[in-house]
Amino acid sequence: MAEKIISFDTANQPVLFGAFDRNIKIIENEYSVSVVSRGDELKIIGGEAQAEAAAKAIFGLIEIIDRGETPTDQNVRYVISLVNEGNEGKIKSLPAEAICVSSAGKPIKPKTIGQKKYCEAIDKNTITIGVGPAGTGKTYLAVAMAVSAFRAKQVGRIILTRPAVEAGEKLGFLPGDLQSKVDPYLRPLYDALFEMLGADAFQRCQERGVIEVAPLAYMRGRTLDDSFIILDEAQNTTPQQMKMFLTRLGFNSKMVVTGDITQIDLPDGKKSGLKTVMKILKNIDDIEICKFSQKDVIRHKLVQDIINAYEKYETEVRR
């Protein structure tokens, strides 16, 4: 058995350990070690390699705390994944500055290396395509970047759109007029804007026409100048719809296209516009394609497990 000793600021112990010592227990379970607190020191007891890895994970959490953040389960598991890959040095490169602040005063910032690269790509390029599994923050961070650009007066309006493609249900069976029928499909975009701006500010912006949330079909025939435009759920576009959307781009505008190619709800035999556009535009300047992995998932740990299980199953089926 080996022992590793870590010195730390005892004032940070509640934050480092988490509620009911949850953060430390996750590390103990991952590496089969025991972590004991003695004054301003932590003693890690276990196999030599395991104790060394656990120490690196704890140092990573201390680094997050030193930036003024409170580690969550997701932070702990992400730090562990970086340590297991030998990339613990990348923890330092995680951003300390927020993209924007929500209406409740919550700072919104990337939580993984993949998310940081995605936000940098949006900032640097006119068109950014974000592809990855559910829970990786593709839409949420794109909306945060849009709100940040709008508040800084870099753009004059925000336009969010997604195709109204059914995932099992039929639009015709929903009550109300066309807008009432498509609103449920746009709800995730409304939710993100409500959080960033607050319901009242969002309502005022929508009434003034500087924020628009609409089905993709409403984009046809328009030229979108001075706008930050987000196309969500792009895996459910056809190649023709994707071409139509991208050619709406006007002067002083940015576009972000997000989607998950493992969740295509198009009828059998129809190609996904997102899969097609990733091949067509991959070598064009000022367009960047960002791919997320399950490590970028910031929802409940089970979401990562579910994604991994489906990937394993689909790989076996293909074989």
Side-chain angles (χ1 to χ4, degrees):
M1 299 291 281
E3 288 186 2
K4 291 283 293 182
I5 305 293
I6 294 177
S7 296
F8 73 108
D9 184 350
T10 53
N12 289 333
Q13 181 167 336
V15 183
L16 175 63
F17 277 55
F20 305 107
D21 299 344
R22 181 167 177 79
N23 297 343
I24 294 299
K25 284 176 181 175
I26 292 173
I27 292 172
E28 287 180 326
N29 292 336
E30 173 70 21
Y31 296 112
S32 302
V33 297
S34 177
V35 180
V36 181
S37 175
R38 292 284 184 270
D40 62 352
E41 289 184 342
L42 290 180
K43 183 186 285 187
I44 305 170
I45 306 165
E48 190 168 342
Q50 289 82 359
E52 180 70 28
K56 289 177 180 178
I58 291 172
F59 278 127
L61 293 185
I62 291 172
E63 218 165 293
I64 289 172
I65 293 167
D66 288 343
R67 289 206 305 265
E69 297 181 45
T70 300
T72 62
D73 280 14
Q74 188 273 332
N75 292 134
V76 178
R77 298 189 189 284
Y78 185 63
V79 165
I80 286 171
S81 73
L82 290 178
V83 169
N84 291 347
E85 294 168 357
N87 291 326
E88 61 274 6
K90 290 186 176 180
I91 297 168
K92 291 179 182 176
S93 64
L94 286 172
E97 293 183 8
I99 300 169
C100 71
V101 178
S102 73
S103 60
K106 171 189 167 188
I108 297 164
K109 62 178 72 175
K111 296 183 181 296
T112 69
I113 303 297
Q115 289 187 347
K116 180 189 176 188
K117 289 179 178 175
Y118 176 58
C119 292
E120 288 173 346
I122 293 173
D123 191 48
K124 186 176 67 174
N125 297 281
T126 300
I127 297 177
T128 305
I129 301 172
V131 183
T136 49
K138 303 181 299 294
T139 304
Y140 188 77
L141 289 172
V143 173
M145 293 292 287
V147 169
S148 176
F150 178 69
R151 285 174 174 166
K153 302 192 184 315
Q154 295 169 359
V155 295
R157 58 180 172 167
I158 298 172
I159 298 172
L160 298 94
T161 184
R162 58 176 4 195
V165 173
E166 302 94 336
E169 300 86 6
K170 297 294 181 184
L171 277 170
F173 292 113
L174 294 172
D177 58 15
L178 178 61
Q179 191 62 44
S180 300
K181 289 174 187 286
V182 298
D183 269 356
Y185 294 91
L186 304 171
R187 180 51 52 190
L189 302 177
Y190 284 120
D191 290 345
L193 281 170
F194 284 169
E195 182 177 344
M196 311 277 178
L197 297 170
D200 291 340
F202 169 74
Q203 191 71 37
R204 288 194 301 271
C205 289
Q206 200 171 26
E207 287 170 359
R208 285 165 41 214
V210 294
I211 289 184
E212 180 182 345
V213 185
L216 180 59
Y218 288 19
M219 299 297 113
R220 187 173 294 279
R222 301 174 63 183
T223 300
L224 305 173
D225 293 324
D226 195 28
S227 304
F228 198 117
I229 312 128
I230 300 171
L231 170 59
D232 191 32
E233 298 290 341
Q235 75 275 5
N236 289 330
T237 62
T238 63
Q240 293 77 17
Q241 286 175 321
M242 180 64 78
K243 181 182 177 184
M244 178 274 291
F245 171 77
L246 292 173
T247 53
R248 301 307 94 201
L249 181 68
F251 292 104
N252 191 42
S253 290
K254 275 186 184 289
M255 278 185 168
V256 180
V257 176
T258 71
D260 178 2
I261 56 175
T262 68
Q263 294 191 22
I264 297 172
D265 299 314
L266 293 169
D268 289 342
K270 279 202 170 185
K271 288 184 178 179
S272 166
L274 181 59
K275 289 177 101 172
T276 306
V277 82
M278 288 170 65
K279 298 174 185 174
I280 294 172
L281 303 183
K282 63 182 179 181
N283 295 319
I284 296 182
D285 289 339
D286 211 19
I287 298 176
E288 188 164 342
I289 300 171
C290 296
K291 295 181 181 178
F292 294 90
S293 70
Q294 67 272 14
K295 290 197 295 294
D296 297 304
V297 173
I298 55 171
R299 290 182 186 165
H300 194 284
K301 178 184 177 294
L302 276 178
V303 176
Q304 282 188 345
D305 295 339
I306 290 166
I307 291 166
N308 288 335
Y310 267 93
E311 284 182 355
K312 184 178 178 183
Y313 170 76
E314 288 162 3
T315 300
E316 289 173 354
V317 168
R318 284 195 295 271
R319 285 175 180 170

